[in-house]
Amino acid sequence: MRKKVVAGNWKCNTTVAEGVALAKEVNDIVTATDVVVVLGTPFTHITEVVKTITNKSISVAAQNCAAEAKGAFTGEVSAAMVQSTGAKYVILGHSERREYYGETSEILNKKVALALANGLTPIYCCGEALPIRESGKQNEFVINQLQETVFTLSPEDFKKIIIAYEPIWAIGTGVTATTQQAQDMHKALRDAIATKFGNDIAQETSILYGGSCNASNAKELFASPDVDGGLIGGASLKAADFNTIIMSY
Ligand code: PGA
Protein backbone atom coordinates (compact mmCIF):
# COMPACT_ATOMS: atom_id res chain seq x y z
CA MET A 1 0.00 0.00 0.00
CA ARG A 2 1.39 3.37 -0.93
CA LYS A 3 1.72 5.90 1.86
CA LYS A 4 -0.74 8.71 2.46
CA VAL A 5 1.22 11.86 3.08
CA VAL A 6 0.18 15.34 4.18
CA ALA A 7 3.13 17.72 4.07
CA GLY A 8 3.07 21.34 5.18
CA ASN A 9 5.20 23.84 3.31
CA TRP A 10 5.64 26.81 5.61
CA LYS A 11 7.65 28.68 2.95
CA CYS A 12 9.28 31.89 4.25
CA ASN A 13 6.92 32.33 7.20
CA THR A 14 7.28 32.34 11.01
CA THR A 15 10.14 33.23 13.34
CA VAL A 16 11.80 30.34 15.18
CA ALA A 17 9.60 30.94 18.25
CA GLU A 18 6.44 31.09 16.13
CA GLY A 19 7.47 27.98 14.21
CA VAL A 20 8.17 26.01 17.38
CA ALA A 21 4.79 27.08 18.78
CA LEU A 22 3.06 25.97 15.55
CA ALA A 23 4.95 22.65 15.54
CA LYS A 24 3.93 22.05 19.16
CA GLU A 25 0.29 22.71 18.33
CA VAL A 26 0.44 20.31 15.38
CA ASN A 27 2.29 17.76 17.50
CA ASP A 28 -0.45 17.84 20.13
CA ILE A 29 -3.46 17.93 17.82
CA VAL A 30 -2.57 15.18 15.32
CA THR A 31 -4.03 11.79 16.19
CA ALA A 32 -3.99 10.17 12.74
CA THR A 33 -1.70 7.16 12.62
CA ASP A 34 -2.18 6.04 9.02
CA VAL A 35 -1.02 9.34 7.50
CA VAL A 36 2.60 10.44 7.28
CA VAL A 37 2.61 14.08 8.41
CA VAL A 38 5.55 16.25 7.38
CA LEU A 39 6.36 19.80 8.46
CA GLY A 40 8.42 21.69 5.87
CA THR A 41 10.00 24.43 7.94
CA PRO A 42 12.65 27.06 7.20
CA PHE A 43 16.23 25.79 7.68
CA THR A 44 16.65 27.96 10.77
CA HIS A 45 13.80 26.19 12.54
CA ILE A 46 14.51 22.54 11.82
CA THR A 47 16.65 21.64 14.83
CA GLU A 48 14.23 23.23 17.28
CA VAL A 49 11.16 21.79 15.55
CA VAL A 50 12.70 18.29 15.53
CA LYS A 51 13.24 18.62 19.31
CA THR A 52 9.62 19.72 19.76
CA ILE A 53 8.04 16.82 17.87
CA THR A 54 7.24 13.74 19.96
CA ASN A 55 4.33 12.52 17.83
CA LYS A 56 5.47 9.46 15.88
CA SER A 57 3.31 10.34 12.86
CA ILE A 58 5.19 13.60 12.26
CA SER A 59 8.51 14.18 10.51
CA VAL A 60 10.31 17.35 9.50
CA ALA A 61 11.39 18.50 6.04
CA ALA A 62 13.67 21.18 4.67
CA GLN A 63 12.28 23.21 1.79
CA ASN A 64 15.47 23.04 -0.27
CA CYS A 65 19.09 21.90 -0.18
CA ALA A 66 22.25 22.87 -2.00
CA ALA A 67 23.26 21.37 -5.35
CA GLU A 68 26.81 20.92 -4.03
CA ALA A 69 27.99 18.58 -1.30
CA LYS A 70 30.05 21.18 0.60
CA GLY A 71 32.59 23.92 0.22
CA ALA A 72 32.78 27.59 -0.72
CA PHE A 73 29.11 28.21 -1.48
CA THR A 74 28.19 31.08 0.83
CA GLY A 75 24.65 30.90 2.12
CA GLU A 76 23.96 27.37 0.92
CA VAL A 77 22.75 24.52 3.15
CA SER A 78 23.86 21.06 2.06
CA ALA A 79 21.85 17.84 2.11
CA ALA A 80 24.28 16.47 4.72
CA MET A 81 23.60 19.48 6.94
CA VAL A 82 19.85 18.98 6.55
CA GLN A 83 20.24 15.31 7.42
CA SER A 84 22.29 16.22 10.51
CA THR A 85 19.36 18.29 11.90
CA GLY A 86 17.10 15.25 12.13
CA ALA A 87 14.97 16.24 9.12
CA LYS A 88 13.94 13.20 7.08
CA TYR A 89 12.49 14.88 3.98
CA VAL A 90 13.39 17.68 1.61
CA ILE A 91 11.04 19.53 -0.73
CA LEU A 92 12.79 19.92 -4.09
CA GLY A 93 11.82 21.57 -7.36
CA HIS A 94 9.05 23.73 -5.96
CA SER A 95 7.80 26.08 -8.69
CA GLU A 96 8.84 29.10 -6.58
CA ARG A 97 12.42 27.77 -6.55
CA ARG A 98 12.28 27.09 -10.29
CA GLU A 99 10.80 30.50 -11.08
CA TYR A 100 12.53 32.87 -8.64
CA TYR A 101 15.86 31.10 -8.16
CA GLY A 102 16.43 29.68 -11.63
CA GLU A 103 16.40 26.01 -10.63
CA THR A 104 16.72 23.97 -13.81
CA SER A 105 16.38 20.23 -14.30
CA GLU A 106 20.18 19.99 -14.27
CA ILE A 107 20.42 21.68 -10.87
CA LEU A 108 17.52 19.64 -9.51
CA ASN A 109 19.16 16.39 -10.59
CA LYS A 110 22.18 17.28 -8.46
CA LYS A 111 19.97 18.16 -5.49
CA VAL A 112 17.93 14.96 -5.75
CA ALA A 113 21.12 12.87 -5.96
CA LEU A 114 22.62 14.57 -2.89
CA ALA A 115 19.37 14.29 -0.94
CA LEU A 116 19.18 10.55 -1.66
CA ALA A 117 22.88 10.02 -0.93
CA ASN A 118 22.26 11.58 2.49
CA GLY A 119 19.23 9.46 3.29
CA LEU A 120 16.65 12.21 2.81
CA THR A 121 13.35 11.56 1.05
CA PRO A 122 12.78 14.12 -1.70
CA ILE A 123 9.26 15.49 -2.10
CA TYR A 124 9.73 16.33 -5.74
CA CYS A 125 7.44 19.03 -7.13
CA CYS A 126 6.20 19.43 -10.66
CA GLY A 127 3.41 21.42 -12.28
CA GLU A 128 2.44 23.64 -15.17
CA ALA A 129 1.76 27.36 -15.50
CA LEU A 130 -1.63 28.65 -16.64
CA PRO A 131 -0.79 29.19 -20.34
CA ILE A 132 0.29 25.54 -20.59
CA ARG A 133 -2.95 24.39 -18.97
CA GLU A 134 -4.90 26.64 -21.34
CA SER A 135 -3.10 25.14 -24.33
CA GLY A 136 -4.11 21.65 -23.17
CA LYS A 137 -0.48 20.47 -23.08
CA GLN A 138 -0.23 20.09 -19.28
CA ASN A 139 0.24 16.32 -19.17
CA GLU A 140 3.03 16.37 -21.72
CA PHE A 141 4.72 19.29 -19.92
CA VAL A 142 4.63 17.77 -16.43
CA ILE A 143 5.66 14.30 -17.61
CA ASN A 144 8.58 15.96 -19.39
CA GLN A 145 9.59 17.65 -16.10
CA LEU A 146 9.83 14.18 -14.57
CA GLN A 147 11.55 12.67 -17.60
CA GLU A 148 14.33 15.24 -17.35
CA THR A 149 14.85 14.63 -13.66
CA VAL A 150 13.57 11.83 -11.43
CA PHE A 151 12.94 9.42 -14.33
CA THR A 152 16.71 9.34 -14.84
CA LEU A 153 17.10 7.68 -11.41
CA SER A 154 17.53 3.96 -10.94
CA PRO A 155 14.30 2.14 -10.01
CA GLU A 156 15.72 1.63 -6.48
CA ASP A 157 16.22 5.35 -6.04
CA PHE A 158 12.96 6.36 -7.71
CA LYS A 159 11.11 4.21 -5.19
CA LYS A 160 12.34 6.52 -2.42
CA ILE A 161 10.79 9.65 -3.98
CA ILE A 162 7.45 11.29 -3.28
CA ILE A 163 5.96 13.29 -6.16
CA ALA A 164 3.94 16.46 -5.57
CA TYR A 165 1.85 17.77 -8.47
CA GLU A 166 1.31 21.48 -7.97
CA PRO A 167 -0.30 23.42 -10.81
CA ILE A 168 1.31 26.86 -10.59
CA TRP A 169 -2.01 28.59 -11.26
CA ALA A 170 -3.42 27.02 -8.09
CA ILE A 171 -0.56 27.87 -5.71
CA GLY A 172 -1.51 30.56 -3.22
CA THR A 173 -4.29 31.78 -5.51
CA GLY A 174 -7.33 30.26 -3.85
CA VAL A 175 -8.08 28.56 -7.18
CA THR A 176 -7.84 24.81 -6.65
CA ALA A 177 -7.62 22.28 -9.43
CA THR A 178 -10.95 20.50 -9.67
CA THR A 179 -10.97 16.98 -8.33
CA GLN A 180 -11.21 15.75 -11.92
CA GLN A 181 -8.23 17.87 -13.05
CA ALA A 182 -6.14 16.58 -10.14
CA GLN A 183 -7.18 12.97 -10.69
CA ASP A 184 -6.54 13.18 -14.46
CA MET A 185 -3.00 14.51 -13.95
CA HIS A 186 -2.19 12.06 -11.14
CA LYS A 187 -3.37 9.17 -13.29
CA ALA A 188 -1.29 10.42 -16.22
CA LEU A 189 1.75 10.65 -13.96
CA ARG A 190 1.17 7.19 -12.52
CA ASP A 191 0.83 5.79 -16.03
CA ALA A 192 4.08 7.49 -17.05
CA ILE A 193 5.80 6.03 -13.97
CA ALA A 194 4.44 2.59 -14.88
CA THR A 195 5.78 2.92 -18.42
CA LYS A 196 9.19 3.94 -17.12
CA PHE A 197 9.59 1.80 -13.99
CA GLY A 198 6.82 -0.79 -14.16
CA ASN A 199 3.40 -1.04 -12.58
CA ASP A 200 4.57 -2.24 -9.15
CA ILE A 201 6.68 0.87 -8.59
CA ALA A 202 3.91 3.10 -10.01
CA GLN A 203 1.40 1.65 -7.57
CA GLU A 204 3.78 2.26 -4.64
CA THR A 205 4.58 5.89 -5.53
CA SER A 206 2.80 8.52 -3.44
CA ILE A 207 1.64 11.43 -5.60
CA LEU A 208 0.53 14.47 -3.60
CA TYR A 209 -1.61 17.34 -4.80
CA GLY A 210 -0.69 20.93 -3.93
CA GLY A 211 -2.22 24.29 -4.75
CA SER A 212 -4.81 25.97 -2.52
CA CYS A 213 -5.65 22.66 -0.87
CA ASN A 214 -7.43 23.58 2.36
CA ALA A 215 -9.67 22.33 5.16
CA SER A 216 -12.78 22.64 2.96
CA ASN A 217 -11.62 20.96 -0.25
CA ALA A 218 -9.11 18.35 0.96
CA LYS A 219 -11.70 15.62 1.51
CA GLU A 220 -12.93 15.73 -2.06
CA LEU A 221 -9.42 15.91 -3.53
CA PHE A 222 -8.11 13.05 -1.37
CA ALA A 223 -11.06 10.86 -2.36
CA SER A 224 -9.58 10.53 -5.87
CA PRO A 225 -7.96 7.15 -6.39
CA ASP A 226 -4.62 8.56 -7.55
CA VAL A 227 -4.32 11.44 -5.07
CA ASP A 228 -2.25 10.18 -2.13
CA GLY A 229 -2.23 13.32 -0.02
CA GLY A 230 -1.28 16.95 -0.22
CA LEU A 231 1.50 19.50 -0.12
CA ILE A 232 -0.09 22.33 1.80
CA GLY A 233 1.14 25.92 1.86
CA GLY A 234 -1.05 28.58 3.45
CA ALA A 235 -3.35 26.18 5.29
CA SER A 236 -0.40 24.45 7.00
CA LEU A 237 0.26 27.60 9.04
CA LYS A 238 -2.85 27.01 11.14
CA ALA A 239 -2.68 23.81 13.21
CA ALA A 240 -6.45 23.25 13.30
CA ASP A 241 -6.83 23.64 9.51
CA PHE A 242 -3.81 21.48 8.87
CA ASN A 243 -5.22 18.78 11.13
CA THR A 244 -8.60 18.96 9.37
CA ILE A 245 -6.72 18.31 6.11
CA ILE A 246 -4.88 15.37 7.70
CA MET A 247 -8.22 14.00 8.92
CA SER A 248 -9.73 14.34 5.45
CA TYR A 249 -8.85 10.77 4.53
P1 PGA B 1 -0.74 26.81 -1.16
O1 PGA B 1 0.77 26.40 -1.51
O2 PGA B 1 -1.36 25.66 -0.44
O3 PGA B 1 -0.61 28.05 -0.32
O4 PGA B 1 -1.43 27.08 -2.48
C1 PGA B 1 1.09 25.09 -1.87
C2 PGA B 1 2.57 25.00 -2.16
O5 PGA B 1 3.12 25.91 -2.78
O6 PGA B 1 3.23 24.01 -1.77
Side-chain angles (χ1 to χ4, degrees):
M1 265 297 278
R2 55 186 179 255
K3 284 192 202 113
K4 301 169 181 176
V5 182
V6 176
N9 177 8
W10 293 2
K11 306 194 181 184
C12 189
N13 293 298
T14 72
T15 62
V16 174
E18 289 163 353
V20 167
L22 175 58
K24 180 149 183 25
E25 259 191 278
V26 175
N27 183 75
D28 295 347
I29 203 172
V30 167
T31 52
T33 50
D34 59 341
V35 181
V36 175
V37 178
V38 180
L39 302 181
T41 83
F43 288 131
T44 42
H45 302 26
I46 302 177
T47 309
E48 287 303 313
V49 169
V50 166
K51 275 193 234 159
T52 305
I53 300 295
T54 52
N55 188 321
K56 298 236 172 326
S57 300
I58 305 176
S59 299
V60 182
Q63 300 170 21
N64 182 27
C65 71
E68 307 294 337
K70 62 193 245 183
F73 302 103
T74 301
E76 288 294 280
V77 176
S78 72
M81 292 173 194
V82 171
Q83 192 277 337
S84 72
T85 62
K88 302 279 184 234
Y89 295 80
V90 59
I91 299 168
L92 290 175
H94 191 282
S95 60
E96 288 152 15
R97 300 289 322 166
R98 294 178 193 254
E99 189 178 343
Y100 308 141
Y101 301 96
E103 294 197 0
T104 58
S105 294
E106 195 184 349
I107 292 170
L108 290 169
N109 280 337
K110 291 196 199 173
K111 294 188 177 199
V112 169
L114 285 163
L116 289 169
N118 285 283
L120 298 169
T121 298
I123 300 176
Y124 189 80
C125 305
C126 54
E128 82 288 353
L130 190 57
I132 297 168
R133 167 67 58 173
E134 285 172 344
S135 74
K137 296 209 162 72
Q138 66 275 3
N139 290 14
E140 198 178 314
F141 178 87
V142 177
I143 290 168
N144 186 55
Q145 284 184 321
L146 300 185
Q147 271 163 349
E148 288 183 0
T149 55
V150 290
F151 280 11
T152 64
L153 294 169
S154 67
E156 290 65 39
D157 277 343
F158 183 82
K159 281 202 293 207
K160 299 172 188 157
I161 304 256
I162 293 171
I163 303 287
Y165 167 60
E166 299 205 302
I168 296 170
W169 45 271
I171 296 177
T173 58
V175 179
T176 317
T178 64
T179 306
Q180 194 60 51
Q181 285 173 322
Q183 169 56 25
D184 288 351
M185 176 61 80
H186 285 225
K187 170 85 169 63
L189 297 182
R190 201 175 305 285
D191 288 348
I193 296 167
T195 303
K196 175 70 194 168
F197 295 108
N199 197 43
D200 287 356
I201 291 182
Q203 290 307 322
E204 287 302 308
T205 304
S206 297
I207 307 178
L208 317 185
Y209 169 79
S212 299
C213 182
N214 59 39
S216 324
N217 60 29
K219 205 175 186 71
E220 199 186 324
L221 284 160
F222 295 175
S224 298
D226 288 293
V227 176
D228 307 310
L231 181 55
I232 318 297
S236 71
L237 294 169
K238 293 198 192 97
D241 284 4
F242 190 53
N243 189 45
T244 302
I245 296 170
I246 295 163
M247 299 300 279
S248 295
Y249 271 110

